[in-house]
Structures are given as C-alpha cells and as structure tokens.
Amino acid sequence: MAMQIFESAKSLWSVILQQFRWDSHTPQRTLDEIEVLLSVFLAILIAHHYNAEHIGWAAFSGYMVLRSHIADTCIRGVLRILGTIVGALLACWIELFISKTLWLNSLVLAFFAAFSLYFAMTTRYGYAWLFFGLTFVMVIIDGLVYPFADISQFAKTRSIEVIAGTVACMLVSLFFTYIIRPKFSLMVNRSGLAEIIKFEGYRKRTLIHTAQAALAIAIVPFLIHFFPVDLLIQTSITILAVLMIPLPSLNNKKLISMRNLYRLFGCLLGATLAFILLPISDLNYICAVLSIGLGVVIGRHIENSGQAFAYIGTQFSLVYIVVMVPDKLSLLSMENGWMRLAGIVFGIILIELTRLVFVPLQYLLTHEK
C-alpha cells in the first residue's frame, strides 16, 4: 500500500514537472498568469487600504475570481460577494437566538452546510451557494471559539476581503479583455453560467452526499477545546470544498478520494516552496513581492494545465498565498501554512471517516432495482 502511494506521488510529480517545459508556455497561458498576478497584487493593495484583517484571503479572492473574459469574472465575482455577505449576515442573526451550546451549534452548522452544498451542486448559481455555506460556517465557528467577541467584526472583515479581491479581479479583467488581449489577437468567448447536467435519481444521491458533509461539519464544534480556531475553520472549508463536486460525478466513487489526494499534494507543494522562500521574503518588500509572484505564477500554471490534476495548482496557490501574504511583513511565519495544512489533513480525515458511515446506504442505492 505504501509503495503504491509512493509510486502514485512520483508519477504525479513527473507529470506536473512536464507542465513547465518550454513548449507548454503558450501565449494564452502566459497572459493569464500575468493577469492573475496583477489581480492578486491589486487585491492586496485594496485590502490594505480598507484595513482588512486577513490580507491573504483577499489575495486569494483576487486569484480565484479571475476568468479570461470580463463577463465571466463579473458573474463569478458577484456570486462570490452575494454568497459571502448573505452567509455572514445570516450567521450573525442566528447567533442572536441560539446559545453557545455545542450540540445546538452543531445542528445549525450541519443543517446549513448540507443546505448550501445541495443547492451549490444542483443549481447554476452554485458558486454563490458554496460561499454562503463557507462563510456561514466560518462565522459560527469563530463565534463559538471566541464567545465574548463581537462576531460581526469577523463577518465584516471577511466580506471586505472578498469584495477587495473581487473588485481587483474585475478591474484587471476589464483591462485585459478590452485592451491587452485584442492586441495579441487572443479574444476569449464568454462562457456564462454552466448548465447543470442532471440524471435520474440525482436528488436522492445528492441528499446522501450532503448528509455526509453535514455529519462531518457537525463534529467540528465539539473540537473547539482541543484545536485552534484557524485549524477548525480550515477543516470546515476543506469538507465543503472537497465535497463540492459536479453533479454527474456522484456516480464516480473515486472522485472525492482523488480530490482529497490532489488537495493534500498541492498544499504540501505550496507549503514546501513557502518554507524555502520565506527567509528570502523576510529581507525586504521587493523580495516579498518577487516571492509572492513566483508562487502565484507556478500555481496558476499548474491550474491551467487542463489536466485532471489542475486542482493541485489551486491548492498550491491557496496555501502559498496564505503563508506568504501576511497582514504585515513583520508577521511572516510558516505557522499559517502549517495550521492550514493541519486543517486540511483533519478535514480529509473527517471526510473519509464519515464516508464509512454511509457505505451501507451507498451500496443499497447502487444495487437498488
């Protein structure tokens, strides 16, 4: 078993390295990497201007929202902002009526995690539903860990970070769509909102899938006395992000395990590079900017591979940005990276453990006549 995992990791590393051959650097791919680089740095500047608390999250929004056409960027950005704000507001409102009792918060988290994931998978506005669930869970968990703190402050700064990153993406995308790309004859057709491909019995399968997410999330509140808040928040993000899969993929039993593997592998690579470059970034602002830029381009290049392992690039960039983009240069530390990595590992463990609970149900569903 250990040898198989080693061989799989070795093979994966080999195909990733092939993506950095000279012939893989197409004009379209290179231009997209420059575009996302500018978007990330603009997001950092905007977030600093509005005194956001977690600059790295703004930077990652500046990374994730960007698409090749301004229309697609705006659609994705609006959905991300709406989902984040509604999730934050609802969490703050619900916290006024429920106590800090762990079991009650566990039930609330489980319900809204399953609710948001179901609609994220079955509607065209899935991106908004996903961030509704992510933000709701983050705010509730933060309120549990810090019961006497103002929960609205966390919700507010989270919204500012997402808006900063999204606005940066929109501005950069607008510039590239109408000024830069036409000069290189690299116009991109807008894709718009994707249609959801549904199949017979999809509701039943989706409900079982989201019930797994609910069970995994429900466990998190009972761990607040044993783990720091950043780890638990990352654990919850991992659960929802990994289980957010295209609807037809519910028929692929191996997909979630593969996404777990890709997520872990990408985060390990991102943390390793951050660990290597962190001493250099700590020298001055120029070195910090160059180090951030290098990691962003590497992650985006892997993501633009068009291969099944492209998800590795996204996870590489996320952990790299979280580590290398501190609120202040003096706060550069690998602690953020290790905390995120630990949260991801813990989230993956919870996903795999809760999958065991649903094995009998999945078996019956697969073999029903």
Side-chain angles (χ1 to χ4, degrees):
M1 182 65 178
M3 184 59 68
Q4 289 179 344
I5 295 175
F6 175 77
E7 290 297 328
S8 298
K10 183 179 178 181
S11 175
L12 196 56
W13 175 248
S14 177
V15 294
I16 289 175
L17 286 180
Q18 290 177 14
Q19 293 298 314
F20 293 91
R21 296 181 306 185
W22 182 253
D23 57 358
S24 71
H25 295 273
T26 63
Q28 179 67 50
R29 205 167 174 181
T30 302
L31 200 62
D32 179 75
E33 288 156 17
I34 295 173
E35 190 173 359
V36 79
L37 194 62
L38 294 176
S39 179
V40 167
F41 283 123
L42 182 58
I44 292 172
L45 291 175
I46 295 175
H48 272 296
H49 179 74
Y50 287 100
N51 298 316
E53 292 183 9
H54 304 97
I55 306 299
W57 286 110
F60 191 65
S61 291
Y63 179 96
M64 284 298 296
V65 173
L66 188 72
R67 288 297 179 264
S68 298
H69 194 284
I70 178 61
D72 294 327
T73 300
C74 288
I75 290 172
R76 193 172 173 85
V78 169
L79 292 177
R80 190 179 181 108
I81 290 174
L82 283 176
T84 299
I85 292 177
V86 173
L89 290 175
L90 182 62
C92 290
W93 181 74
I94 286 181
E95 277 292 298
L96 297 176
F97 300 96
I98 62 174
S99 65
K100 298 298 181 181
T101 307
L102 294 182
W103 67 266
L104 185 57
N105 280 269
S106 175
L107 290 176
V108 169
L109 285 173
F111 174 79
F112 281 101
F115 179 80
S116 63
L117 187 59
Y118 181 87
F119 286 102
M121 294 176 62
T122 59
T123 70
R124 299 181 69 194
Y125 305 101
Y127 200 61
W129 282 107
L130 175 63
F131 275 87
F132 162 80
L134 287 173
T135 308
F136 181 89
V137 168
M138 292 170 69
V139 174
I140 293 294
I141 291 175
D142 187 78
L144 271 176
V145 177
Y146 303 113
F148 302 108
D150 182 6
I151 192 173
S152 64
Q153 180 59 31
F154 181 84
K156 177 182 177 182
T157 187
R158 178 64 182 153
S159 300
I160 290 174
E161 291 149 15
V162 170
I163 292 172
T166 301
V167 169
C169 283
M170 290 179 176
L171 292 175
V172 173
S173 184
L174 182 67
F175 178 70
F176 271 73
T177 298
Y178 293 112
I179 297 178
I180 301 300
R181 292 185 186 277
K183 290 184 178 181
F184 292 90
S185 301
L186 291 173
M187 292 301 294
V188 178
N189 295 325
R190 56 175 298 184
S191 57
L193 290 171
E195 293 289 344
I196 303 299
I197 303 174
K198 298 179 179 179
F199 54 90
E200 186 178 355
Y202 79 90
R203 286 189 178 89
K204 189 183 295 184
R205 287 184 178 273
T206 308
L207 285 172
I208 294 173
H209 183 76
T210 55
Q212 180 191 337
L215 179 58
I217 291 287
I219 297 172
V220 175
F222 297 100
L223 305 173
I224 62 172
H225 298 303
F226 307 100
F227 300 102
V229 62
D230 290 341
L231 184 146
L232 295 178
I233 286 177
Q234 188 54 57
T235 297
S236 304
I237 291 173
T238 297
I239 292 168
L240 286 177
V242 171
L243 293 178
M244 169 60 181
I245 59 176
L247 197 60
S249 299
L250 287 175
N251 296 315
N252 184 350
K253 297 179 181 179
K254 296 182 178 180
L255 180 64
I256 295 176
S257 294
M258 287 303 299
R259 283 173 67 87
N260 276 335
L261 175 62
Y262 288 157
R263 189 176 184 90
L264 182 59
F265 195 76
C267 289
L268 282 172
L269 291 178
T272 300
L273 183 63
F275 179 77
I276 294 172
L277 295 181
L278 195 63
I280 299 175
S281 299
D282 202 24
L283 295 176
N284 53 55
Y285 282 105
I286 295 177
C287 291
V289 167
L290 292 176
S291 297
I292 292 170
L294 177 63
V296 168
V297 169
I298 290 174
R300 191 67 163 194
H301 193 75
I302 298 173
E303 187 179 333
N304 284 338
S305 64
Q307 304 297 318
F309 58 79
Y311 189 58
I312 291 175
T314 307
Q315 300 310 311
F316 174 98
S317 298
L318 178 51
V319 72
Y320 189 86
I321 287 173
V322 168
V323 175
M324 301 298 285
V325 183
D327 301 332
K328 297 178 181 178
L329 189 61
S330 59
L331 298 178
L332 269 174
S333 170
M334 274 303 295
E335 183 179 353
N336 288 331
W338 298 131
M339 192 66 66
R340 170 172 166 73
L341 195 59
I344 288 170
V345 172
F346 202 64
I348 289 172
I349 291 173
L350 286 179
I351 289 173
E352 294 299 331
L353 288 177
T354 52
R355 285 181 71 187
L356 296 176
V357 177
F358 288 88
V359 167
L361 191 57
Q362 292 285 5
Y363 178 83
L364 291 174
L365 190 64
T366 302
H367 292 80
E368 69 178 1
K369 296 181 180 180

